[in-house]
Amino acid sequence: MKDTRIIFMGTPDFAANVLTGLIKEGYNIIGVVTQMDKKVGRRQTLTPSAVKRVALDHHVPVFTPKRIRKEYDDILALDPELIITCAYGQIIPKAILDYPRCGCINTHGSLLPLYRGGAPIQHAIINGEKETGITLMYMDEKMDEGDILFSARLPIAFDDTNETLFAKLSDLALKMLLEHLDAIIDGKVKPIKQDHTKATYAYNLTKEDEYINFNEPYLNVYNHIRGLLKNPGAYAMLEGKKYKFHKVRPLDEKLCPPATVYGLYDGGFLIGAQGGSIIVDEIQPEGKSVMKAKDFFNGQGRGLVGKEFDEKYES
């Protein structure tokens, strides 16, 4: 089955790991579809996606349509027999979904029908879930509503972050594809319809979702921050300045009122929350690089003791 003509659609590191594994296992990847190069960093350097870099390294043709709903003729001209999507980032049109004889399958980072949408991994952590998983599914025109082929569970560790869970789930997605892809191609898998009454949603994150309110229960704050690390990142405002949090720990002890800066504690920069505290080990003040809590405190951090972070996000 490895000679089946496969087009792979994906964009971030999560997908790049899966693509690399499929190529190494000898699957016939005839083309890759990914998002357009984006400007990154302070210098706004035009940067290709992680998936595009893998494709170019293995001399696989790359397509970067701005709007795939209208720009797909060149993709179908490759005559794919199977399309695999993995965190691609655009809605696939019916013309593509209906083309491959083996169908279009998606690797989704949740246990469907739970957490349909573009940010299931982040929302699972933010909501304090104890487990998540990967679902292999046939795609249809609706968002993550296609029939399920296989699913596998994965525990969420208390110290998992967006970054670490992405890596674990990416490895699981690859493992599942390598285990089941031949059977899917051969039509030996009987798909299962989703129970739509049990669906929950994990829509793409907004700037408001990245804002941390330290007036919430401390474990909620901890989950919220780690669910956003390192990309896109979590932040809060104090006296008109933005502070991003890069490494935090929860503390089941209330040393000061919620949202109030306590100062140094156990090697970190402590901020109060409801019922407990958050110890920040790495912080990034606005316009500065990421720094250790002690270095931050010995600089501007000392002057923030007793002050309160803003409660609400202001656009």
Side-chain angles (χ1 to χ4, degrees), residues 198-212:
K198 296 182 178 180
T200 61
Y201 295 90
Y203 294 109
N204 289 333
L205 296 165
T206 66
K207 198 67 177 177
E208 185 173 359
D209 293 323
E210 298 169 22
Y211 192 81
I212 301 302

Side-chain angles (χ1 to χ4, degrees), residues 41-110:
R42 293 182 181 179
R43 296 185 179 181
Q44 293 292 279
T45 304
L46 201 60
T47 305
S49 73
V51 162
K52 181 177 179 179
R53 293 195 297 271
V54 171
L56 294 177
D57 287 345
H58 291 87
H59 310 291
V60 178
V62 178
F63 301 87
T64 57
K66 185 176 182 180
R67 295 181 180 87
I68 197 170
R69 285 185 173 184
K70 297 181 178 180
E71 306 169 46
Y72 54 77
D73 288 344
D74 290 343
I75 298 169
L76 296 186
L78 293 179
D79 192 27
E81 298 173 283
L82 174 70
I83 292 177
I84 299 173
T85 67
C86 184
Y88 169 53
Q90 292 192 48
I91 296 175
I92 311 301
K94 190 174 188 299
I96 292 180
L97 296 177
D98 290 345
Y99 188 93
R101 67 171 180 83
C102 298
C104 294
I105 63 174
N106 181 40
T107 58
H108 186 74
S110 79

Side-chain angles (χ1 to χ4, degrees), residues 10-31:
T11 299
D13 289 333
F14 180 94
N17 176 61
V18 174
L19 174 60
T20 300
L22 292 174
I23 292 173
K24 287 183 176 179
E25 286 296 317
Y27 282 95
N28 184 23
I29 308 297
I30 61 171

Side-chain angles (χ1 to χ4, degrees), residues 113-114 116 194-201:
L114 302 179
R116 293 173 176 172
Q194 295 189 42
D195 184 347
H196 301 303
T197 64
K198 296 182 178 180
T200 61
Y201 295 90

